[in-house]
Amino acid sequence: LWISFWLGSLIPIRKNRVTFVTRKNVPISGNLRIVADALADHGGYEIGVFKDGSVPDSTVQALQAKGIVVFAGFSFAALCFILSSRTIFLSHSARDAFLTHRRSGRRVINLWHGVALKRIELMMKPFADIVKYEARKKLIEKNARIYDAMIASSPVDRLVNSCAFGVSFDRVHVTGLPRFDYLDPSCSLPSDLDDQQKKLDSILHGRHLILYAPTFRESGRSVFHYMDDECLKGLRSLCERGGLVFGIRPHPYDMSSLERICDGLHIVNLGSMVFPEPALLLNRTKVLVVDYSSIWVDYLIHKRPILGFVPDLENYTEHERGFIYSHETIFPGPVKKSWGEMISEIEIQFARNFELPNLQHHSTTSAWLLPPVNENQSCTDACIKLFFRD
């Protein structure tokens, strides 16, 4: 970081240069990807994408085809490109772009990658290691001084992001999450995502997709240990009877091996290494099974069943992240604590042809967490117009 601090005062800023930065273990996807593509289509900007890690060749080729420079892994050239950019977009943190301070003529915009349901950043509970907790808190507050703007999904989410990141309320903008646009059937996909969609359709082969997308645990313990042999037997039987595929999308922070669980036919691994863009999966999903991940907020748009598998709800509430909202109040579907109960619930949803019996709870949650409807403007367009008025 000291190199970044030193170079940052020497390298001149280029007005039309824009860099999009994601985290080392996170794909170039979601808000970051769709805004980068849209800005390239808009024209007039020199655009770079940086990830301090490997990037799939198909993603590199698709971005390069639009004139976007891709930096896969740290290099002096990547650092210079970032530090000379007039605008830097982040998916997570200023640290991912090696930024240590504000600089005149530069703006840093956090396209935060989700909707906070569990406690994040400054809203997290104090750690047992209070020294580590205070150090992290100071880093978050330091980053807050670097951000010129953030986005939010809804007016309620705007307040949460302001509190969680310590960013002034007037710097948080309700644009909706640009990644929501991938859920629109009329959305035109770039070549690599179109290929991924076709690959998914080939795996499904006309069958219905049940997607299980759990989040990580601070303790490091994987939620997949709940999937014992009896659970797997029940899921395979369900898939055979109903013409279903049970897809598993682990969180990038969960490094558990799925070889014991996935058979490649009825239970398949749909992780981010294979399918970087989760919206492609949501577009084919008939029932979404989650625990505490905010991916279900995106899925509200499709108005299909959302089921909660929360075998460790009490422990998560008391000893893990815990929640910003009351989980019981805001979650829009049935909640189960065993795989036996969950399999029975999926069978009920299948019998209903995956249609919601009552939209009231679903609609109420959508009103809290989704952006106000604007038929004349997509979430991506809202970001482009807000940050590139000139």
Side-chain angles (χ1 to χ4, degrees):
L1 290 179
W2 67 268
I3 297 176
S4 173
F5 181 84
W6 176 71
L7 279 176
S9 62
L10 299 176
I11 298 177
I13 288 177
R14 300 180 60 163
K15 180 181 178 181
N16 290 329
R17 179 170 284 185
V18 182
T19 304
F20 292 81
V21 180
T22 192
R23 180 149 288 182
K24 184 174 184 178
N25 57 350
V26 176
I28 299 171
S29 62
N31 299 334
L32 210 70
R33 174 65 192 275
I34 198 168
V35 174
D37 279 332
L39 190 61
D41 292 340
H42 184 278
Y45 296 92
E46 184 184 7
I47 303 172
V49 171
F50 171 74
K51 175 183 174 180
D52 191 11
S54 62
V55 180
D57 290 341
S58 59
T59 302
V60 173
Q61 292 166 7
L63 292 171
Q64 289 178 339
K66 292 198 171 192
I68 299 174
V69 181
V70 180
F71 298 98
F74 177 80
S75 66
F76 185 72
L79 182 59
C80 289
F81 195 100
I82 294 170
L83 296 179
S84 62
S85 295
R86 154 74 171 131
T87 305
I88 299 173
F89 284 107
L90 309 169
S91 65
H92 287 72
S93 167
R95 301 186 298 276
D96 302 322
F98 313 107
L99 301 179
T100 60
H101 62 287
R102 293 180 64 83
R103 182 184 178 186
S104 177
R106 178 176 70 196
R107 58 183 184 167
V108 180
I109 301 166
N110 196 326
L111 298 177
W112 183 247
H113 59 280
V115 177
L117 303 174
K118 57 193 176 189
R119 294 180 180 274
I120 61 170
E121 302 296 271
L122 296 176
M123 300 182 81
M124 290 178 66
K125 300 175 181 179
F127 309 149
D129 186 341
I130 195 64
V131 174
K132 183 178 179 181
Y133 171 78
E134 290 295 335
R136 187 177 186 277
K137 181 180 177 181
K138 287 181 180 179
L139 182 57
I140 294 169
E141 291 171 340
K142 180 180 179 181
N143 287 339
R145 294 191 289 271
I146 296 174
Y147 302 143
D148 294 275
M150 288 193 69
I151 65 169
S153 175
S154 69
V156 174
D157 189 45
R158 180 188 186 192
L159 178 60
V160 170
N161 281 355
S162 176
C163 294
F165 290 90
V167 175
S168 174
F169 186 75
D170 63 344
R171 291 187 179 184
V172 184
H173 305 276
V174 181
T175 60
L177 302 191
R179 72 186 193 192
F180 291 162
D181 295 340
Y182 282 137
L183 302 173
D184 185 335
S186 66
C187 179
S188 179
L189 296 174
S191 59
D192 58 322
L193 298 191
D194 187 54
D195 288 343
Q196 289 173 35
Q197 192 77 82
K198 292 175 180 176
K199 180 177 181 179
L200 176 61
D201 289 341
S202 177
I203 292 172
L204 297 179
H205 198 59
R207 296 174 293 172
H208 296 308
L209 175 61
I210 311 299
L211 183 64
Y212 176 41
T215 192
F216 68 99
R217 303 298 190 271
E218 295 289 335
S219 64
R221 190 181 189 192
S222 174
V223 72
F224 297 115
H225 81 276
Y226 291 103
M227 302 187 76
D228 57 19
D229 291 343
E230 182 178 354
C231 159
L232 299 179
K233 182 180 178 181
L235 286 173
R236 292 189 183 105
S237 175
L238 172 64
C239 290
E240 289 175 351
R241 297 193 311 273
L244 308 174
V245 173
F246 190 85
I248 298 179
R249 185 175 183 82
H251 191 281
Y253 293 175
D254 190 330
M255 304 305 294
S256 301
S257 172
L258 297 182
E259 291 183 3
R260 176 188 66 85
I261 295 173
C262 297
D263 57 21
L265 176 61
H266 300 302
I267 306 176
V268 298
N269 184 349
L270 301 180
S272 59
M273 294 296 291
V274 183
F275 295 96
E277 180 48 62
L280 304 182
L281 306 180
L282 296 181
N283 285 336
R284 295 294 187 266
T285 296
K286 292 296 184 179
V287 174
L288 178 64
V289 181
V290 293
D291 48 15
Y292 320 118
S293 167
S294 69
I295 192 172
W296 65 259
V297 177
D298 301 52
Y299 196 63
L300 286 169
I301 292 172
H302 281 320
K303 297 181 180 179
R304 297 173 188 159
I306 300 171
L307 311 180
F309 178 66
V310 291
D312 59 344
L313 179 59
E314 291 77 13
N315 183 72
Y316 193 88
T317 302
E318 296 298 325
H319 304 294
E320 290 271 346
R321 289 288 184 103
F323 304 101
I324 296 170
Y325 312 94
S326 164
H327 186 270
E328 293 80 3
T329 300
I330 200 168
F331 193 79
V335 173
K336 306 298 177 183
K337 293 189 175 183
S338 75
W339 274 112
E341 293 175 322
M342 179 56 68
I343 291 171
S344 297
E345 183 60 40
I346 294 173
E347 289 180 324
I348 291 172
Q349 301 300 331
F350 176 77
R352 291 174 177 163
N353 198 29
F354 309 112
E355 295 181 359
L356 293 173
N358 187 343
L359 274 174
Q360 183 175 353
H361 193 181
H362 190 284
S363 299
T364 300
T365 304
S366 297
W368 274 72
L369 301 177
L370 293 181
V373 175
N374 185 343
E375 297 179 355
N376 299 318
Q377 182 171 254
S378 71
C379 297
T380 306
D381 289 341
C383 280
I384 296 295
K385 290 179 180 178
L386 176 64
F387 299 124
F388 296 95
R389 292 186 177 122
D390 55 347

